[in-house]
Amino acid sequence: ANFSEQVVESFPSDISPGVYYGWACVGNGDVHKMVLSIGWNPFYKNIKKSAETHIIHTFKDDFYGEVLSIVIIGYIRSEKNFSSLEALISAIREDIEEAKRQLDLPEHLKLKDDNFFHLPEAKTVKH
């Protein structure tokens, strides 16, 4: 799930490019583990900064148009380039495993139930 340019531009300027982990919620759904990449994705030679959320969950349907709420808990690694697509995929898999390990820690697990994710009036999308 990618955030729009406007959302990325509104991120605090002191957030370093890199890979982060935390919690994500689509609409009023359940809260899931996630990995977030912030930066220029040098492998794909992007010229605009992006924020891409990988929710560690399989959804039955797509969720275009839904509100995506995230809480960034920690930092995994800096942004880097890769020599091949296979190396990039391998790094992403390692990032996901690291996120799972970190988010299972009691101090991170308790944030899954934060009230931030349970504010229905803030999560309504008008179609």
Side-chain angles (χ1 to χ4, degrees), residues 21 23 33 35 56 76 93-109:
Y21 62 89
W23 297 104
K33 295 174 181 175
V35 176
I56 304 171
I76 297 176
R93 286 188 180 130
E94 290 172 18
D95 296 338
I96 291 168
E97 291 309 311
E98 179 64 15
K100 288 177 180 178
R101 280 191 295 276
Q102 292 296 326
L103 291 165
D104 280 339
L105 296 173
E107 64 267 27
H108 296 149
L109 200 54

Side-chain angles (χ1 to χ4, degrees), residues 21-124:
Y21 62 89
W23 297 104
C25 179
V26 176
N28 288 313
D30 293 334
V31 178
H32 301 284
K33 295 174 181 175
M34 67 91 181
V35 176
L36 175 71
S37 171
I38 300 174
W40 287 268
N41 299 320
F43 183 78
Y44 291 105
K45 299 175 176 42
N46 289 0
I47 56 171
K48 293 195 181 224
K49 192 175 193 179
S50 67
E52 300 175 358
T53 307
H54 173 78
I55 301 171
I56 304 171
H57 176 75
T58 303
F59 291 89
K60 291 181 208 152
D61 300 306
D62 68 47
F63 47 85
Y64 289 101
E66 290 286 340
V67 172
L68 173 61
S69 303
I70 66 168
V71 173
I72 299 170
I73 306 296
Y75 182 77
I76 297 176
R77 64 173 172 83
S78 62
E79 180 177 56
K80 60 183 177 181
N81 201 350
F82 295 91
S83 57
S84 67
L85 182 58
E86 292 76 21
L88 171 61
I89 291 169
S90 177
I92 291 169
R93 286 188 180 130
E94 290 172 18
D95 296 338
I96 291 168
E97 291 309 311
E98 179 64 15
K100 288 177 180 178
R101 280 191 295 276
Q102 292 296 326
L103 291 165
D104 280 339
L105 296 173
E107 64 267 27
H108 296 149
L109 200 54
K110 68 181 180 184
L111 295 170
K112 179 180 181 180
D113 296 320
D114 192 273
N115 284 338
F116 170 77
F117 292 116
H118 305 289
L119 301 173
E121 62 279 353
K123 300 230 182 151
T124 305

